[in-house]
Amino acid sequence: MSYSERDTVPLNQSSQSDIDEIENLINYTVQSGPATVLPARPPSPPRASIPVSSSPFLPSNLPPPPQKPPSVPAASPPPSTNGQQQSNMTGFGSPPNTLTEPVWDTVKRDLSRIVSNLKLVVIPNPFREDPGKALRDWDLWGPFFFIVFLGLILSWSASVKKSEVFAVAFALLATGAIILTLNVLLLGGHIIFFQSLSLLGYCLFPLDIGALICMLKDNVILKIVVVCLTLAWSSWAAYPFISMAVNPRRKALALYPVMLMYVSVGFLIIAID
Amino acid sequence: MISLYNILLISFCVQPPGENYANPRICFFHVLFKAGALAFYILSALFSDSFVIIFVVTVLLAALDFWVVKNVSGRILVGLRWWNEIDDNGESVWKFECLDQESLARMNKKDSWLFWWTLYLTAVVWIFFGIFSLIRFQADYLLVVGVCLTLSIANIVGFTKCRKDAKKQIQQFASQTIANRFTSTIQSAFSVV
């Protein structure tokens, strides 16, 4: 809209301010890119301060804040031709409210995310539509717990040098996950660093179960059978995600190190005494 | 616990603002896990032999502290939040969020003072411990310190970026509003003429 093209009859006061407001909106939405901070409006203005639950670990008495559209003000923004902005607008549905939500809600949300990620990764589902999309909301809590758990079990099963066993197991698993992720990325794969770390951590869950069983029952044949089964389960869980991420010709190159790491962890479980 | 931190900071010649804490319980939890991880590390390194217990408890306390700072005290004490999302194209996007200007201005100064100072101070102390264990050639203690330091630095980087973006956004918005008011005043002046 160019002011030089206006004809000689001036617009009256109210429509002039409307035009200004719309122009404000256009400039504002064009400026806010994906990495800039967007101010979030607190859900109900009459509150004097930020609504907060009185104790972090008790359920809050406050009602959940009503769903409000994101912070771009009242007039709806003009249809943006930029697809990236579109996804920013639509992807912003729940986050403005998480800034002022009660603490208990945050805890529940994170716990349910861990459980859903675990189910997604570990339970085999041959009809999954797109494994690449599956671990969209990655988290590192699950992998942290599983790695520490495995290290503790190995350390417990060892009769000597318990501290070294734990430290070696933890360092091996953590470094192994990082290196495997770098491997996939360097092979030209399309996976986010943290998503892959999260995936490899969650795929350790079957080996955790195997290690627990091996610790409780000391029979060598049983150990070998259990470790082989859980190893196969872990590898089968990791296979769809890794293979979707890389070029089909390089699938074996990406998968072989993963299998190698799980096999070495399996040997650690069998050989510890 | 908070008074201990106050004493330590005052000894560094840093004065807290005069008002009272607005959210004392949140401040307490903010400081609790940090101080707990540091205290456990120091005491057990002096008195205990079992590295496994030291590692697991310290790293667990540090991870809990990371969660509390990122999700609870960051939101409530300074009104900032950061997270990572993966959008539909499979690209990773870092999102930063802050409260709007009036709520930010209404934040308790003492709360945010405690928040930022303890955040930076904890990272400095962990670096100090890291140098200490490096000098003693203790690789396993270095591992513990490394993990705790990574968690602290992640929070520092996230919140500092968030605060810088928030300030920039406020400035942009303010200058935009002033510019538009100016333009509309001029136009209304011309329309009257």
Side-chain angles (χ1 to χ4, degrees):
Chain A
M1 172 174 299
S2 151
Y3 289 104
S4 60
E5 289 172 12
R6 229 175 3 164
D7 57 5
T8 51
V9 176
L11 300 168
N12 63 11
Q13 206 65 11
S14 58
S15 28
Q16 187 57 52
S17 56
D18 281 346
I19 293 172
D20 286 338
E21 191 172 291
I22 294 177
E23 232 186 301
N24 270 356
L25 287 174
I26 294 174
N27 292 337
Y28 184 70
T29 54
V30 161
Q31 274 169 17
S32 57
T36 57
V37 177
L38 297 167
R41 197 176 277 159
S44 35
R47 283 188 192 146
S49 63
I50 300 169
V52 142
S53 71
S54 53
S55 150
F57 299 108
L58 292 175
S60 161
N61 288 333
L62 301 164
Q67 284 292 330
K68 256 201 165 187
S71 59
V72 177
S76 59
S80 56
T81 50
N82 189 350
Q84 200 179 28
Q85 279 190 5
Q86 202 75 30
S87 68
N88 273 340
M89 291 301 171
T90 53
F92 214 64
S94 58
N97 297 322
T98 65
L99 202 60
T100 47
E101 69 181 358
V103 178
W104 190 236
D105 279 5
T106 315
V107 176
K108 273 197 304 200
R109 203 156 41 91
D110 282 345
L111 282 176
S112 67
R113 186 159 59 167
I114 296 178
V115 170
S116 75
N117 271 342
L118 184 63
K119 278 197 299 205
L120 206 61
V121 171
V122 163
I123 296 180
N125 180 8
F127 305 111
R128 207 179 277 149
E129 7 35 84
D130 186 6
K133 283 210 181 101
L135 264 184
R136 264 305 141 74
D137 41 353
W138 53 270
D139 72 294
L140 288 177
W141 282 105
F144 172 67
F145 284 130
F146 295 147
I147 294 182
V148 166
F149 188 64
L150 191 58
L152 279 175
I153 293 186
L154 286 175
S155 164
W156 211 331
S157 319
S159 47
V160 292
K161 291 191 173 185
K162 289 181 188 268
S163 310
E164 274 94 338
V165 167
F166 180 83
V168 165
F170 186 91
L172 171 76
L173 288 165
T175 322
I178 295 179
I179 293 182
L180 287 173
T181 309
L182 283 177
N183 181 37
V184 169
L185 287 173
L186 287 173
L187 280 175
H190 298 294
I191 202 167
I192 312 291
F193 181 73
F194 289 111
Q195 199 179 10
S196 165
L197 277 185
S198 175
L199 165 76
L200 289 169
Y202 275 111
C203 288
L204 272 180
F205 178 70
L207 281 167
D208 272 356
I209 301 181
L212 191 61
I213 299 177
C214 289
M215 184 178 79
L216 297 173
K217 290 280 189 182
D218 216 1
N219 190 345
V220 177
I221 310 272
L222 177 72
K223 274 190 186 179
I224 295 181
V225 167
V226 163
V227 166
C228 284
L229 276 175
T230 51
L231 186 67
W233 186 8
S234 280
S235 307
W236 190 21
Y239 173 80
F241 300 99
I242 306 271
S243 60
M244 281 295 302
V246 289
N247 202 334
R249 287 183 309 159
R250 296 179 172 176
K251 231 183 336 191
L253 275 176
L255 279 173
Y256 172 70
V258 179
M259 307 258 189
L260 195 61
M261 185 174 95
Y262 288 149
V263 163
S264 60
V265 174
F267 268 123
L268 258 181
I269 298 176
I270 297 180
I272 211 108
D273 68 333
Chain B
M1 200 76 69
I2 302 179
S3 50
L4 266 172
Y5 255 108
N6 266 347
I7 293 171
L8 191 61
L9 287 168
I10 288 174
S11 69
F12 281 121
C13 304
V14 172
Q15 271 307 105
E19 26 175 338
N20 277 329
Y21 294 107
N23 298 300
R25 223 178 294 201
I26 307 286
C27 290
F28 174 68
F29 276 103
H30 176 80
V31 172
L32 173 75
F33 291 119
K34 288 193 189 24
L38 285 168
F40 192 83
Y41 180 80
I42 299 173
L43 294 174
S44 49
L46 289 175
F47 296 124
S48 159
D49 254 348
S50 164
F51 172 73
V52 178
I53 304 284
I54 297 176
F55 185 99
V56 172
V57 174
T58 310
V59 171
L60 193 66
L61 285 173
L64 279 174
D65 164 67
F66 177 83
W67 187 88
V68 164
V69 169
K70 181 169 180 286
N71 289 305
V72 177
S73 53
R75 275 196 288 130
I76 294 172
L77 297 181
V78 288
L80 299 170
R81 189 165 201 185
W82 60 276
W83 72 95
N84 174 285
E85 264 175 17
I86 301 184
D87 65 7
D88 293 331
N89 301 330
E91 300 298 322
S92 131
V93 172
W94 292 95
K95 291 239 166 78
F96 303 99
E97 189 183 11
C98 71
L99 287 179
D100 56 26
Q101 278 80 303
E102 307 101 57
S103 306
L104 269 183
R106 264 184 281 145
M107 286 279 152
N108 188 334
K109 293 283 182 296
K110 200 164 189 184
D111 278 355
S112 46
W113 172 86
L114 181 76
F115 179 85
W116 289 108
W117 273 101
T118 52
L119 207 60
Y120 289 119
L121 192 66
T122 318
V124 167
V125 174
W126 278 121
I127 292 179
F128 178 68
F129 281 143
I131 296 177
F132 210 56
S133 57
L134 197 64
I135 292 177
R136 282 177 165 192
F137 293 117
Q138 285 169 335
D140 33 12
Y141 285 97
L142 199 59
L143 185 65
V144 177
V145 173
V147 171
C148 297
L149 197 58
T150 312
L151 293 172
S152 300
I153 290 184
N155 254 337
I156 289 180
V157 168
F159 277 112
T160 314
K161 267 195 165 164
C162 205
R163 182 165 66 157
K164 279 200 190 134
D165 267 4
K167 282 192 181 151
K168 197 170 61 167
Q169 192 70 22
I170 290 174
Q171 276 176 346
Q172 267 179 355
F173 201 59
S175 59
Q176 188 75 23
T177 318
I178 292 176
N180 283 318
R181 287 267 162 78
F182 189 64
T183 329
S184 67
T185 324
I186 296 232
Q187 262 136 31
S188 56
F190 273 118
S191 71
V192 164
V193 168

